[in-house]
Amino acid sequence: MSSQQPDAFAPIGVFDSGVGGLTVARAIRDQLPGEAMIYVGDTARAPYGPRPIAEVRRFALEILDGLVEQGVKMLVIACNTASAAVLRDARERYDVPVVEVIGPTVRSAAAITRTGRVGLIGTRGTIQSRAYDDLFAMRPEIELSSAACPRFVELVEAGETSGPAVHEVAREYLAPLVAEGIDTLVLGCTHYPFLRGAIRQVVGPDVALVSSDIETANVVFQELTELQLLRPAGSPDPELRYEATGPDTAGFVELARRMLGIGIDSVDHLETGAIRLPR
């Protein structure tokens, strides 16, 4: 799929299966406050984690095609499962730069670990794709232990990020990794930073938590700088637009405000080309 050469005034397109990618969007805004942005959450079909990779690929390319048609200058796949499913296709398919969340997170974890024992938590789709394993394999001194945490996304999308029930789920998922003696834990899903408190309570203060938001924002800044696509200083205030495929756009706004402190005035409902799944 071809597009015109991007220009510096065009927005950055950020995509996730739901609200989790707002952690990445916020980090980009913090680092590049002058940039315009379009954020799309595929809330009608979230979570992506339990779905077959081929299905995730189809959904992701549909959303990314739409962002390119809206004239974005960069695509940010702020979803680990989608990054694992579609990254190679996306970089071949589009004429705009594509940034994903897995590579930056792996590089950060590899630099932080002291003992070489790194833990990874993610959706079933992310863990089964072995995308993290492939990148960590380039650092043979690192021993990677992985665990799928399917209920974490469900808890975040429901607005449940603390309390005894959340702690019990976190303990169930994380106790085996703690027993492996990890000193670094990769939060391999953009929803997981919302559960940082519960995760920290289980793994303890000596385990470094590595998430994709800040690391990905750093890559966005670097690539826009190298490609001379940063929005010029003194430009008019940038437009920030939010879209969701699910009908509950008011719930999206409330969740973003309550959990991230992001003031979103409105969310546009974006129709998908697929059959709406029952709630």
Side-chain angles (χ1 to χ4, degrees):
M1 180 176 179
S2 181
S3 67
Q4 295 180 346
Q5 180 66 22
D7 70 85
F9 289 96
I12 299 168
V14 182
F15 155 61
D16 184 46
S17 62
V19 300
L22 287 171
T23 56
V24 176
R26 182 176 64 176
I28 294 172
R29 284 178 55 187
D30 288 345
Q31 192 160 153
L32 295 166
E35 294 291 339
M37 186 184 303
I38 302 174
Y39 179 93
V40 177
D42 194 7
T43 51
R45 301 177 295 204
Y48 277 5
R51 296 183 179 278
I53 288 292
E55 189 174 46
V56 172
R57 177 184 178 277
R58 178 164 58 88
F59 292 163
L61 290 177
E62 179 188 349
I63 299 295
L64 295 172
D65 282 357
L67 283 168
V68 170
E69 288 171 3
Q70 293 187 67
V72 299
K73 64 181 178 183
M74 169 180 277
L75 292 167
V76 180
I77 307 175
C79 173
N80 285 261
T81 306
S83 292
V86 83
L87 178 60
R88 181 175 299 177
D89 294 313
R91 287 184 169 157
E92 294 176 352
R93 187 180 182 91
Y94 307 115
D95 292 336
V96 298
V98 179
V99 173
E100 47 80 36
V101 293
I102 296 177
T105 310
V106 168
R107 290 191 291 272
S108 178
I112 288 173
T113 182
R114 306 177 306 277
T115 65
R117 293 185 175 182
V118 175
L120 165 68
I121 54 175
T123 66
R124 285 198 183 98
T126 296
I127 300 300
Q128 291 173 358
S129 75
R130 301 188 64 82
Y132 276 93
D133 301 71
D134 291 344
L135 290 179
F136 274 115
M138 291 186 275
R139 298 288 300 270
E141 74 278 13
I142 292 178
E143 180 182 341
L144 184 66
S145 302
S146 304
C149 305
R151 291 191 59 194
F152 275 179
V153 172
E154 297 172 9
L155 289 169
V156 170
E157 292 286 338
E160 299 178 36
T161 59
S162 62
V166 173
H167 179 266
E168 180 58 29
V169 172
R171 189 196 63 76
E172 176 187 342
Y173 288 149
L174 298 171
L177 296 181
V178 174
E180 292 285 339
I182 62 169
D183 77 337
T184 303
L185 178 64
V186 173
L187 309 185
C189 175
T190 49
H191 286 72
Y192 293 178
F194 292 112
L195 300 169
R196 186 180 292 269
I199 292 170
R200 170 62 68 202
Q201 192 173 3
V202 174
V203 302
D206 296 329
V207 175
L209 303 183
V210 180
S211 60
S212 56
D213 47 2
I214 295 174
E215 306 304 328
T216 303
N218 290 339
V219 174
V220 169
F221 175 82
Q222 292 165 6
E223 292 208 14
L224 290 180
T225 300
E226 292 172 2
L227 295 170
Q228 298 184 343
L229 287 176
L230 287 173
R231 205 160 187 256
S235 301
D237 289 343
E239 179 184 12
L240 303 173
R241 192 158 78 246
Y242 300 89
E243 301 174 349
T245 59
D248 188 11
T249 55
F252 186 100
V253 170
E254 173 58 25
L255 205 56
R257 284 177 174 162
R258 176 155 50 91
M259 299 174 67
L260 271 174
I262 292 180
I264 297 176
D265 294 326
S266 64
V267 175
D268 298 325
H269 180 225
L270 180 67
E271 289 288 349
T272 69
I275 297 172
R276 180 70 41 79
L277 297 176
R279 294 176 65 83

